[in-house]
Amino acid sequence: MFNLHRSTCLRAFLVALALGANAAPIANEIVGRDDAGPAVFPIPQQIAFTGGKVSLAGDVTVVTDNFTDAATIDTIKKVVAAAGGKVVVASKPSGKGTQIFVGTEKDSSLAVAAAKALADKSADGLDADGYALACGHYETLPTIVLNGVDTRGTFYASQTLRQLLDGADIPGVKMHDWPLMSIRGSIEGFYGVPWSHEARLEQLVYYGKHKMNTYVYTPKDDPLLRAKWRTLYSGDELTQLKELVTTANANHVDFTYALSPGLSVCYSSDEDFDATVAKFDQLRDFGVSSFYIALDDIGLEFHCDADKAKWPKTENDEWIADAQAFYLNRVQTEYIEPNNLKDLDTVPTNYAGSASTPYKTEFGTKLNKKIRVQWTGEGVFSNEITVDSVVKADESYVTDNLFLWDNFPVNDGNRDRLFFNPLTKRAAELYKHLLGFTSNPMNQAFASMASLANYADYTWNGPKYDATKSMDASLWELSGSDTTVHNAVIAFTDLNQNWPYQNPVTNAPQLNKDIDAFWAARKAGTSDGTKALKDRLALIITIPDVLPKMATKGFATDVAPWSTLAKQWATACQHLISMLEALDAKDQSKADAEFNSAKEWVEKTKAKTVDDRNGDGEDLPKSIVPTTGDEAFDKFLTDATAIYNGK
């Protein structure tokens, strides 16, 4: 069997911890070694390996001073445990073993002093979420320091420490790191089957590990967000929201609650303003401090006579822009600011394109300048985001607070497909003109993680972002260190690259390469070029059985309809190859049998196996026929059938 591990892939080394049957490994999921030391993702702004190392295998004291963040301290403890060390947490140095100083500029003078000594300077002056990290000897003892400019930055330093672990050691290193974009995360804003509660919880943990700080909760088919937006939460829905918020806060992710009242709201109504505030208050009571009003995917129309009287309709769309700005401004000034919450987020009804329109100009002119505005690029789906486009959009929406709602890798418009394309064609310098990005992912939460890791890497450090290396690292992390499992993951993702909004569209590039080599070899009258395709098909057939062995267990369940489909197509193609070989051997009877077997397997690919949900919230089990490897499997079938038919 051929090895799909390309030379550019990053080697993964997993350190297993006894954390329970379903727990993911803590340390070093995405470590790859270059000549200097372990790779870190997102790529840091400043990192220098200085030689030497500090062992965590013995006694380790985590020196906290006045720092108390449980998530950071817990991550450090797990890293030490993974190295085989014995950890003690104390407010002061122990004077023995390895010392790990941890804390922010405000709550740990000990960490600040250690950072100045080992990293040349502390985190003071870095952008929000930044940190200094260093490893060496300090006051005669082996020492590591994690010094954040704020608590979240210190937490991110602990995530970097996790990646730096090499066996039982941390290499000598000096780092100063910070994000170039202040908004980094996802928006669950798609139609169809929303993520499960369990998947959302795992997403939030994943975001913390990848230094993403934003999760916008706004699944389109949640009736309490749209059709029944005035209704308060209760029962299990309320309990689950509380758990999500608690998990988000523990992982230093801003849980942003996005209400979508535009289907029925009366913009001038005190009652609807009060209903908005009541909904937000319910979330604020258990820890939400970030709110969003989504006005996308609605008609440009009023729903009450009061609005029609207050803003008479004109030939352009300024009347609706005025009404929306009035409502949003009221929420910002009468609710957000008095309660010391993060500034309000919104997405306008006209959310795409950089060209100026009367609606955009009026909306931006009237909108409170503190409110942050989302935009999807030149189209609802944007193949490319350029600096020029963003600069024009800033001007069109009359805002300095623009950020991207990036509709990738979302598949709610193509629910038969999965998209594993790496994130590309986002200009490296966009951080100078945007607050950040939220990715709109696929309905399949675990399958979306690879692309979300791309967003994490890009939004943290766009100029150093490498799409191929980022995707390689994320797939190693998801698959785990087993090469057999990883090869199956790579083969599977190759079959699901057909994002229809990119130019040019990619169709199963590696499979098509092997198919082309197969036909070229047959044309040349040799079998030398046929082995790669045969090996690939054999590998694809194993995918449904191998993916459940991945480190990320939810992935296999998410993609089960497509992995089964891939096996069916690959088996059909194996029979087609046997048919061709039988024809070459003048064995018509065997050729007929193999061709009929291929047809039976092709028939299986037509089954509806993907679940869906309609706009009324009604679940539709097994209502969609999945698609995978198109323009490869189906074309091979067509070409082989033509030969069988003597054409």
Side-chain angles (χ1 to χ4, degrees):
M1 185 176 292
F2 68 120
N3 191 337
L4 287 172
H5 182 192
R6 296 173 293 167
S7 61
T8 57
C9 287
L10 300 172
R11 293 186 296 112
F13 174 73
L14 294 172
V15 181
L17 296 179
L19 298 173
N22 296 320
I26 292 299
N28 238 355
E29 289 99 331
I30 52 177
V31 166
R33 176 168 296 283
D34 56 26
D35 292 338
V40 176
F41 290 90
I43 295 174
Q45 306 298 335
Q46 299 172 357
I47 181 170
F49 290 98
T50 57
K53 60 187 177 182
V54 166
S55 174
L56 298 180
D59 291 332
V60 178
T61 302
V62 179
V63 183
T64 59
D65 203 351
N66 295 312
F67 181 76
T68 60
D69 182 62
T72 302
I73 295 169
D74 187 55
T75 300
I76 297 170
K77 289 167 65 176
K78 289 176 179 177
V79 171
V80 174
K86 181 179 179 181
V87 65
V88 173
V89 178
S91 61
K92 302 297 179 184
S94 65
K96 65 177 183 178
T98 296
Q99 310 288 297
I100 300 179
F101 291 92
V102 58
T104 70
E105 290 290 303
K106 292 183 178 180
D107 55 28
S108 180
S109 60
L110 297 175
V112 170
K116 289 178 178 178
L118 291 177
D120 300 328
K121 59 181 180 179
S122 72
D124 185 40
L126 295 180
D127 289 345
D129 299 354
Y131 63 91
L133 185 153
C135 176
H137 278 73
Y138 173 61
E139 295 183 346
T140 74
L141 291 176
T143 300
I144 299 166
V145 58
L146 312 178
N147 170 222
V149 71
D150 47 32
T151 302
R152 181 181 277 157
T154 311
F155 173 71
Y156 289 162
S158 74
Q159 298 304 322
T160 296
L161 181 72
R162 175 179 57 81
Q163 295 184 67
L164 288 171
L165 183 64
D166 189 2
D169 304 321
I170 301 295
V173 67
K174 294 181 180 181
M175 291 181 60
H176 291 89
D177 196 16
W178 62 93
L180 296 181
M181 292 188 179
S182 60
I183 298 174
R184 310 176 304 279
S186 78
I187 180 165
E188 188 183 343
F190 46 77
Y191 294 89
V193 180
W195 289 346
S196 70
H197 180 62
E198 292 73 20
R200 288 177 180 138
L201 292 173
E202 295 207 35
Q203 284 278 319
L204 294 169
V205 174
Y206 187 79
Y207 296 175
K209 290 171 63 175
H210 286 264
K211 304 186 176 85
M212 291 186 282
N213 64 359
T214 301
Y215 166 69
V216 182
Y217 176 82
T218 186
K220 285 293 193 292
D221 290 326
D222 179 346
L224 295 185
L225 286 172
R226 287 174 69 83
K228 300 178 181 178
W229 68 270
R230 298 176 183 86
T231 303
L232 296 179
Y233 290 95
S234 61
D236 290 344
E237 291 172 323
L238 183 61
T239 299
Q240 289 184 350
L241 275 175
K242 289 179 179 178
E243 188 176 5
L244 287 176
V245 173
T246 299
T247 302
N249 290 339
N251 288 278
H252 296 279
V253 177
D254 290 337
F255 182 100
T256 299
Y257 181 79
L259 196 64
S260 297
L263 294 175
S264 62
V265 68
C266 183
Y267 296 108
S268 62
S269 164
D270 288 339
E271 290 79 7
D272 274 359
F273 173 79
D274 291 342
T276 303
V277 167
K279 199 68 171 279
F280 286 175
D281 268 341
Q282 189 179 34
L283 277 292
R284 187 164 65 93
D285 284 345
F286 50 83
V288 176
S289 61
S290 180
F291 293 97
Y292 187 126
I293 292 177
L295 299 173
D296 58 317
D297 297 352
I298 60 174
L300 294 175
E301 59 185 357
F302 286 143
H303 307 291
C304 64
D305 291 338
D307 284 357
K308 294 175 184 177
K310 188 175 180 67
W311 296 286
K313 194 170 184 178
T314 58
E315 291 183 0
N316 55 43
D317 297 327
E318 292 178 351
W319 50 278
I320 189 73
D322 287 340
Q324 291 175 344
F326 173 86
Y327 169 63
L328 294 168
N329 290 347
R330 191 175 179 190
V331 174
Q332 172 71 22
T333 58
E334 296 182 33
Y335 181 74
I336 297 294
E337 293 175 11
N339 289 295
N340 296 313
L341 301 170
K342 293 180 173 66
D343 288 326
L344 185 67
D345 294 331
T346 191
V347 59
T349 306
N350 290 349
Y351 51 74
S354 64
S356 178
T357 68
Y359 170 90
K360 292 177 185 176
T361 301
E362 187 71 6
F363 181 85
T365 300
K366 294 292 180 66
L367 193 68
N368 185 302
K369 295 307 176 188
K370 294 180 180 179
I371 297 175
R372 306 187 301 184
V373 179
Q374 279 217 280
W375 171 71
T376 62
E378 291 297 347
V380 177
F381 303 91
S382 293
N383 172 52
E384 184 176 19
I385 307 290
T386 67
V387 169
D388 182 63
S389 180
V390 171
V391 170
K392 289 179 180 177
D394 285 336
E395 296 172 353
S396 295
Y397 288 99
V398 198
T399 183
D400 293 326
N401 286 314
L402 194 70
F403 66 114
L404 253 293
W405 174 322
D406 204 359
N407 278 315
F408 177 82
V410 65
N411 61 345
D412 60 355
N414 301 271
R415 299 182 201 184
D416 60 324
R417 297 180 183 275
L418 300 173
F419 300 126
F420 288 102
N421 310 70
L423 177 69
T424 59
K425 296 186 178 181
R426 272 65 183 148
E429 305 298 317
L430 289 184
Y431 71 92
K432 297 178 181 179
H433 308 280
L434 282 172
L435 296 178
F437 277 68
T438 57
S439 160
N440 193 12
M442 294 185 281
N443 295 81
Q444 295 74 26
F446 295 95
S448 297
M449 285 179 169
S451 294
L452 289 170
N454 288 175
Y455 277 98
D457 295 347
Y458 168 75
T459 54
W460 186 274
N461 192 349
K464 293 182 181 178
Y465 171 70
D466 183 308
T468 299
K469 290 182 178 180
S470 177
M471 182 59 78
D472 286 346
S474 65
L475 292 179
W476 269 116
E477 178 184 10
L478 295 174
S479 67
S481 60
D482 188 309
T483 303
T484 299
V485 176
H486 182 69
N487 286 347
V489 171
I490 295 296
F492 180 71
T493 57
D494 176 68
L495 301 177
N496 298 283
Q497 300 270 322
N498 192 2
W499 191 54
Y501 310 103
Q502 66 182 346
N503 185 21
V505 173
T506 302
N507 294 292
Q510 294 303 315
L511 174 59
N512 268 314
K513 179 181 178 181
D514 291 343
I515 289 174
D516 290 344
F518 176 88
W519 290 124
R522 282 188 59 83
K523 184 176 181 180
T526 176
S527 62
D528 293 343
T530 64
K531 185 176 185 300
L533 178 59
K534 291 179 179 179
D535 287 348
R536 181 172 293 276
L537 294 175
L539 174 58
I540 291 171
I541 287 171
T542 71
I543 287 174
D545 295 325
V546 173
L547 293 190
K549 301 175 184 177
M550 292 173 64
T552 304
K553 300 304 180 185
F555 188 100
T557 302
D558 264 2
V559 306
W562 290 270
S563 63
T564 299
L565 177 68
K567 175 181 179 178
Q568 292 166 345
W569 269 116
T571 305
C573 289
Q574 282 186 329
H575 285 292
L576 291 171
I577 291 173
S578 295
M579 176 271 291
L580 293 170
E581 291 174 343
L583 289 177
D584 293 341
K586 310 299 183 184
D587 188 342
Q588 188 64 46
S589 177
K590 180 174 175 56
D592 292 342
E594 294 291 347
F595 186 71
N596 288 332
S597 294
K599 289 197 298 182
E600 291 175 2
W601 280 99
V602 170
E603 194 63 28
K604 293 179 181 181
T605 69
K606 301 174 184 178
K608 294 180 179 180
T609 58
V610 178
D611 297 338
D612 198 11
R613 177 179 290 188
N614 64 24
D616 296 325
E618 179 186 3
D619 288 326
L620 307 172
K622 299 187 185 309
S623 58
I624 297 173
V625 178
T627 301
T628 193
D630 49 324
E631 298 296 324
F633 288 133
D634 50 345
K635 189 174 184 299
F636 188 80
L637 170 65
T638 299
D639 292 343
T641 300
I643 294 173
Y644 176 77
N645 290 330
K647 297 180 180 178

